[in-house]
Amino acid sequence: MTCDQNKTAEKIASVKATWDKAPAGPKKDAALKHYQAAEKANTAKNDAETNKELDAASHALS
């Protein structure tokens, strides 16, 4: 795993942990859509798109 892939994996785990702790509601629902898109982009090895979606998920939760 490269350094960038490692950072992306850590970011995915961090966003997932934040999402797990978030109360149910529209913010959590919106974040889930971005998180799922990030997982899909990560599977396709598209780090730029993964990070964009993870940032959007984090923003939705804040």
Side-chain angles (χ1 to χ4, degrees), residues 16-40:
K16 176 71 167 118
T18 302
W19 183 85
D20 286 340
K21 294 176 188 172
K27 287 184 177 185
K28 189 170 185 174
D29 295 341
L32 177 61
K33 290 178 184 175
H34 290 293
Y35 180 79
Q36 289 171 333
E39 286 183 318
K40 186 175 180 181

Side-chain angles (χ1 to χ4, degrees), residues 8-25:
T8 300
E10 289 174 13
K11 193 170 184 178
I12 290 171
S14 174
V15 171
K16 176 71 167 118
T18 302
W19 183 85
D20 286 340
K21 294 176 188 172

Side-chain angles (χ1 to χ4, degrees), residues 29-61:
D29 295 341
L32 177 61
K33 290 178 184 175
H34 290 293
Y35 180 79
Q36 289 171 333
E39 286 183 318
K40 186 175 180 181
N42 191 50
T43 301
K45 299 186 187 324
N46 185 341
D47 286 342
E49 185 68 18
T50 301
N51 285 311
K52 179 181 139 200
E53 291 295 344
L54 290 172
D55 289 342
S58 294
H59 186 292
L61 289 170

